[in-house]
Amino acid sequence: SQLTGQGQAWGQSVAEQTATENLSGTFDVIVCGGGPAGVSAAITAARAGARVHLIEAHGCLGGVWTSGMLSYVIDSKNNGFNDELIRRLDKLGARQASGLSNYVYDVESMKFVLESLVTESAISTQIHTRVVDVEKSAAGRVTGVVTESKSGRQLWRAAIVIDTTGDGDVAALANCDFEIGQDAGETGCPCQPMSLMGVITAPPETLAEFNTLVSQENKDRLLAELKRAGVTPSYTKPTLWHLGGAVASVMLNHEYAVRPDNAAEITQATFRARAELFQMARALKQLGGRWTGTALVTTAEQIGIRDGRRVKGRDIVGVEDVVAGRERSDAICTSTFCVDVHGLTKDGPAYGNAGVRGKPFDIPLGALVASDVDGLMIAGRCLSGDFFAHASYRVTGNAIATGEAAGLTAAMAASDQVLPHEVPALDVTSRLAVIRNENR
């Protein structure tokens, strides 16, 4: 009952045309998407000796962390780049810990840290650039990507390409099989809802009082305040993270039944979500008292998509692995986050495990290697898994770890002039262990 699909068939002709027009660069590894998985993939590959090109569609690195203004990292204890990032943020006083493996961060500091790390690693980077096509050889190997930007149409070639777009956009363009969501049902969309993050200002003592980092019960208290103000948020577990002073990050909305691969639907969802955030902030302000002066300071550039394409890999992580807490000999990281399914419909629960009780489970290297084409790796939430496994591993602490593994594998494949699935898993996991121990 899962939605499946393939990429667009017109891709080859665009790539062939571009090849005669503008070959802009040749690299060992191209990373498509500069979010948590993409940045860690690019930096790890560069440190392993690869010549790396990083492509990002938005105006900064960080993806959902920055242009999405998520403000919260979950399941960050896979070490390696996770630990290095924490140290960098701590030096700037830009992080607040929440439990053993979760933390709130300052968005602008995160942008600075990521862009500094990429610059230090001498990674060729281009932002405001979107991948629109994939170049493949006659044998079906991915050999490059075509982008559109202010510079027009450009072709970039590499030995290995990594899709870290979050929604598997590059894999879809390469005609890879994928799945979306759990069950189409009557809505035509089985996906988890989307949320648009915002930042509000209010009296510091009020933000401290409703800070979700202090108590999860504050979600219910905040809901009561919003209802007292005459509004009922579309997300019935509204969340507020006090960032310090008179500023807090808020997640107050759900956009249901929105296809993650439909630009028109995402546009309308974004408009609705932004209007809802604006109206809720105004409603709180009109309460006066503890909410005097409340205002919406800013909203994210991109709406947060929880549930995009899951690309078919040479291995898959399934619900049976989650329930059993399966260990793998070729594990590149372990997801310890719960099965977190946000309500698929407005009338359902805000979130829950949908009856699936998970244990920590391993993500195998094969789940990062596309099965339908050669030379393409996938990392972050678009890696190969089913709906329930994805509901756990989709969080950004795991995205970092999978990106790190994909970057290392791609660099090793390029150096040895082999394909990613031909790199011995034991070689990858051994080198990952060394890298992660060094970063502790």
Side-chain angles (χ1 to χ4, degrees):
S1 62
Q2 291 180 318
L3 294 184
T4 62
Q6 289 189 317
Q8 300 169 1
W10 50 262
Q12 188 90 12
S13 62
V14 177
E16 288 174 347
Q17 179 184 1
T18 305
T20 63
E21 293 175 354
N22 191 8
L23 175 60
S24 297
T26 301
F27 301 86
D28 298 318
V29 177
I30 291 176
V31 180
C32 304
V39 170
S40 58
I43 292 171
T44 305
R47 289 175 177 175
R51 292 171 296 117
V52 180
H53 185 56
L54 175 61
I55 300 166
E56 166 55 35
H58 293 91
C60 61
L61 297 180
V64 69
W65 278 345
T66 53
S67 53
M69 287 173 46
L70 180 61
S71 306
Y72 195 45
V73 176
I74 297 174
D75 211 6
S76 67
K77 62 177 179 294
N78 279 300
N79 300 312
F81 187 73
N82 270 312
D83 285 352
E84 181 175 359
L85 187 59
I86 286 172
R87 289 196 299 272
R88 293 271 189 147
L89 290 169
D90 285 350
K91 284 183 179 179
L92 298 173
R95 187 181 72 96
Q96 301 177 52
S98 172
L100 295 176
S101 62
N102 306 332
Y103 62 87
V104 170
Y105 60 88
D106 173 69
V107 169
E108 290 302 318
S109 297
M110 181 68 84
K111 293 178 187 177
F112 173 77
V113 167
L114 296 179
E115 292 172 11
S116 297
L117 283 164
V118 165
T119 301
E120 291 167 15
S121 297
I123 295 169
S124 169
T125 305
Q126 192 162 299
I127 60 174
H128 298 296
T129 301
R130 187 174 295 276
V131 176
V132 297
D133 194 20
V134 172
E135 181 189 61
K136 292 193 288 187
S137 69
R141 175 174 179 166
V142 173
T143 56
V145 297
V146 178
T147 62
E148 294 279 2
S149 69
K150 290 287 188 181
S151 297
R153 181 170 291 167
Q154 295 174 286
L155 172 66
W156 313 88
R157 287 187 174 139
I160 310 296
V161 173
I162 306 176
D163 184 344
T164 50
T165 59
D167 292 316
D169 294 336
V170 177
L173 289 168
N175 293 326
C176 292
D177 283 343
F178 60 83
E179 295 179 342
I180 295 179
Q182 180 185 17
D183 190 291
E186 297 179 357
T187 66
C189 178
C191 309
Q192 293 197 48
M194 301 178 184
S195 292
L196 183 71
M197 298 297 299
V199 171
I200 65 169
T201 184
E205 58 274 17
T206 299
L207 299 181
E209 181 183 353
F210 289 90
N211 188 4
T212 307
L213 290 176
V214 175
S215 171
Q216 291 294 302
E217 293 178 359
N218 283 337
K219 294 182 179 183
D220 296 329
R221 296 181 62 244
L222 181 57
L223 176 63
E225 285 293 275
L226 287 163
K227 288 183 175 181
R228 187 168 72 90
V231 292
T232 299
S234 53
Y235 178 38
T236 55
K237 288 290 184 180
T239 301
L240 181 152
W241 297 309
H242 188 197
L243 302 178
V247 179
S249 177
V250 292
M251 182 168 63
L252 308 176
N253 61 87
H254 267 170
E255 283 294 325
Y256 300 94
V258 181
R259 285 281 306 200
D261 55 355
N262 186 309
E265 290 187 17
I266 294 171
T267 298
Q268 292 305 309
T270 302
F271 285 2
R272 289 192 300 268
R274 189 167 283 123
E276 185 179 10
L277 285 170
F278 183 79
Q279 291 160 4
M280 283 189 282
R282 285 180 60 83
L284 287 173
K285 178 182 179 180
Q286 290 169 5
L287 283 177
R290 58 159 60 106
W291 296 105
T292 298
T294 297
L296 183 65
V297 176
T298 188
T299 55
E301 177 185 352
Q302 67 177 84
I303 197 167
I305 299 176
R306 292 184 175 89
D307 198 358
R309 298 183 188 94
R310 302 187 306 275
V311 180
K312 181 182 177 183
R314 292 176 186 261
D315 201 344
I316 184 171
V317 188
V319 63
E320 64 279 0
D321 301 318
V322 178
V323 173
R326 184 179 176 188
E327 297 181 355
R328 306 271 196 144
S329 60
D330 61 343
I332 51 86
C333 70
T334 301
S335 176
T336 65
F337 191 52
C338 64
V339 173
D340 180 30
V341 180
H342 283 239
L344 303 185
T345 64
K346 194 179 231 180
D347 298 329
Y351 52 75
N353 64 13
V356 179
R357 291 185 173 275
K359 301 175 183 177
F361 61 93
D362 288 346
I363 297 175
L365 180 59
L368 310 184
V369 183
S371 66
D372 297 322
V373 295
D374 288 333
L376 178 66
M377 299 199 70
I378 44 181
R381 59 183 171 84
C382 62
L383 66 84
S384 181
D386 71 8
F387 177 80
F388 289 106
H390 171 273
S392 171
Y393 67 64
R394 66 179 172 83
V395 295
T396 60
N398 295 325
I400 300 172
T402 61
E404 187 176 47
L408 177 60
T409 306
M412 293 169 69
S415 176
D416 294 342
Q417 299 183 31
V418 298
L419 294 168
H421 69 273
E422 296 172 327
V423 179
L426 181 59
D427 291 353
V428 175
T429 56
S430 297
R431 287 188 63 175
L432 269 179
V434 171
I435 291 170
R436 289 170 178 171
N437 283 332
E438 288 175 347
N439 268 325
R440 286 179 187 271

